[in-house]
């Protein structure tokens, strides 16, 4: 006897009224967006008055050294580093971990010009980031960290960069905040083609946070990859596939 035919993809019993009602209720029950400021006000003793005391910082000058907190993605702990401001472009400050070799002036100029062009394209395609930032500055801060700070094994660190919305919160709300609108780059990749790709990628995350900080991961990462393409830094299909599989 031949086997019974398999049911088609849309065959089966019709859902009951209770099942349809349950689906509708689940679809309508969207969880609230996480609000760290509201949580701090409600549970951590933070007051509106203390939050309103936040004052704009003076613009940093090239050569300044400042402390930063970065996330080690292996240990999931924050690490304190010092970074020196090596360059200021029209749209960004370029900070470098003081344990890294000082970048060459020509490479700095090239990266800064590339980012300023990326900035204009990304803003034109996706909208603006929060401006001014929590520090009152119109420029973004790009922190180039040593791979040994963001990974346990510097030689095996595959993290190219990351954006954390916590850095734009007051320290009263998040003690590890850098109180700057910023993102972190793996400084080991500075002066490479990959570095420029990642600038476009991480800046798109910065913009996203201004519009929909709770969007689905597939959209967040997919739109960041699209930002690279639209900024003029496409990957080949094979490279995209390999990056996805890794």
């Amino acid at each position: 006897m031949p086997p019974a035919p398999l049911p088609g993809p849309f065959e089966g019993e019709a859902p009951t009224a209770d099942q349809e009602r349950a689906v509708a209720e689940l679809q309508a029950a969207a969880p609230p967006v996480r609000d760290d400021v509201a949580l701090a006000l409600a549970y951590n003793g933070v007051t509106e008055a203390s939050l309103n005391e936040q004052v704009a910082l003076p613009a940093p000058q090239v050569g300044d050294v400042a402390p930063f907190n970065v996330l080690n993605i292996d240990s999931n702990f924050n690490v304190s580093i010092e970074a020196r401001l090596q360059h200021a472009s029209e749209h960004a400050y370029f900070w470098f971990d003081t344990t890294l070799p000082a970048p060459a002036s020509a490479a700095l100029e090239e990266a800064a010009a590339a980012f300023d062009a990326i900035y204009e394209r990304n803003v034109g395609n996706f909208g603006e980031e929060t401006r001014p930032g929590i520090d009152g500055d119109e420029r973004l801060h790009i922190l180039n960290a040593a791979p040994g700070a963001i990974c346990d094994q510097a030689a095996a660190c595959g993290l190219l960069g990351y954006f954390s919305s916590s850095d734009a919160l007051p320290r009263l709300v998040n003690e590890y905040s850098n109180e700057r609108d910023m993102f972190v780059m793996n400084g080991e990749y500075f002066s490479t083609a990959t570095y420029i790709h990642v600038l476009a990628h991480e800046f798109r995350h910065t913009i996203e946070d201004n519009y929909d900080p709770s969007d689905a991961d597939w959209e967040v990462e997919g739109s960041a990859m699209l930002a690279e393409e639209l900024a003029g830094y496409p990957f080949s299909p094979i490279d995209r596939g390999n990056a996805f599989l890794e």
Side-chain angles (χ1 to χ4, degrees), residues 6-133:
L6 295 173
F10 301 108
E11 294 179 7
E13 296 181 2
T16 66
D18 286 343
Q19 289 171 333
E20 290 183 335
R21 183 166 56 254
V23 170
E25 289 175 354
L26 289 171
Q27 291 174 335
V33 176
R34 179 186 174 95
D35 188 331
D36 289 282
V37 173
L39 290 170
L41 290 169
Y43 301 109
N44 289 353
V46 176
T47 65
E48 292 280 3
S50 61
L51 290 176
N52 291 335
E53 292 174 359
Q54 182 77 27
V55 295
L57 299 175
Q61 304 298 311
V62 172
D64 286 355
V65 175
F68 287 86
N69 293 312
V70 296
L71 180 66
N72 181 299
I73 62 165
D74 293 321
S75 67
N76 203 32
F77 281 98
N78 284 280
V79 177
S80 295
I81 67 170
E82 284 193 334
R84 177 173 283 105
L85 181 58
Q86 297 283 9
H87 189 80
S89 73
E90 181 180 356
H91 295 298
Y93 297 110
F94 286 78
W95 298 85
F96 283 78
D97 192 321
T98 54
T99 65
L100 290 170
S105 297
L108 271 173
E109 292 285 352
E110 182 179 351
F115 179 74
D116 284 347
I118 287 168
Y119 181 96
E120 298 293 344
R121 291 173 189 148
N122 274 12
V123 167
N125 289 321
F126 300 104
E128 289 189 336
E129 80 284 15
T130 303
R131 293 182 65 195

Side-chain angles (χ1 to χ4, degrees), residues 171-186:
R171 288 202 184 99
L172 285 171
V173 176
N174 187 307
E175 63 179 307
Y176 298 110
S177 171
N178 287 303
E179 292 188 318
R180 296 172 174 88
D181 279 49
M182 60 175 285
F183 55 85
V184 177
M185 299 286 290
N186 184 338

